[in-house]
Amino acid sequence: MTGWTIGHIGICVTDLERSVRFWCEGLGFEMLREFAFKGDSWRRILEIDGSLDLQTRIIRRDHMTLELLHFISPGHEGPPERVPMNRLGFTHLAIWVKDIDAVAARVVEYGGAVVEDTRVLFDHPLLRGRWLICTDPDGLRLELVEYPDGEDVLER
C-alpha cells in the first residue's frame, strides 16, 4: 500500500520530565520537538471533554518515534501500572540490546522497574537469547531481548 507511512506511537505519562529523562537519558532517545495543545479542535481529535491543557514531547531512537503526552488538564485516567499481557490493545515495546543486565540497570536508575521473575534464557535453534520484562515509570511494559554474540537482530 502506498501513500502513507507510520508516524509515531503515543504514550500517556504522569510526569513529563521524569518520562523524558527515562526515555532520553536512560534509553538513548533524542528529543525532536515539544508542543502545547489547547482549544476546541484539539479536544475533538483527542476526544477530551472539558478543558484541555496538554504538553507533549516527540522523541526518537533508531526508527522508532514516540510522543509522550502529559495531560495537565483534564489529567490522566487509570493507574500507572503494568497491565496483563493478554489485555486487548498495546502490550509492549521490544528493545534489542547487547547487554541486557546493563540496560536493566539503566531502567531502574532512571525510574523504571525490572520484573525479575520474567528473566528467561531461550536456547532453541530458531529462537535463542535472553529476555527480561521491565517497565517505564508509568508501568509500560518493555521487553528487553539480548541475542547471543552479535547475531543480527534485524535479519530475524
Side-chain angles (χ1 to χ4, degrees):
M1 179 178 237
T2 60
W4 59 277
T5 187
I6 301 297
H8 64 268
I9 294 172
I11 302 172
C12 182
V13 301
T14 58
D15 182 322
L16 187 57
E17 296 315 313
R18 177 183 68 179
S19 291
V20 167
R21 184 172 179 268
F22 176 84
W23 290 98
C24 292
E25 294 177 31
L27 295 180
F29 280 71
E30 72 173 294
M31 176 80 71
L32 298 180
R33 291 180 217 85
E34 55 185 79
F35 297 103
F37 298 101
K38 296 181 180 184
D40 286 339
S41 295
W42 292 111
R43 284 187 326 104
R44 284 182 55 207
I45 193 67
L46 298 172
E47 301 178 279
I48 298 292
D49 292 327
S51 67
L52 174 67
D53 187 354
L54 170 64
Q55 302 289 315
T56 73
R57 302 294 184 269
I58 307 292
I59 60 175
R60 179 173 50 215
R61 174 157 182 185
D62 304 322
H63 299 288
M64 174 66 66
T65 303
L66 303 177
E67 179 181 23
L68 304 177
L69 299 100
H70 177 62
F71 288 89
I72 297 165
S73 176
H76 67 275
E77 299 227 356
E81 62 187 26
R82 190 174 84 251
V83 300
M85 187 67 141
N86 62 341
R87 179 168 294 165
L88 294 176
F90 187 81
T91 62
H92 69 286
L93 178 69
I95 302 173
W96 295 327
V97 302
K98 298 257 185 218
D99 183 341
I100 202 167
D101 297 318
V103 175
R106 289 187 70 79
V107 164
V108 172
E109 177 183 354
Y110 286 93
V114 172
V115 184
E116 278 299 336
D117 32 331
T118 65
R119 200 177 282 271
V120 175
L121 172 64
F122 286 105
D123 190 14
H124 181 277
L126 298 177
L127 190 63
R128 296 179 7 193
R130 296 170 63 199
W131 269 255
L132 176 63
I133 297 298
C134 298
T135 66
D136 82 340
D138 289 310
L140 177 71
R141 184 182 276 107
L142 306 173
E143 177 188 70
L144 302 185
V145 180
E146 177 188 291
Y147 289 110
D149 301 325
E151 286 185 25
D152 189 354
V153 295
L154 296 178
E155 292 181 8
R156 290 185 173 271

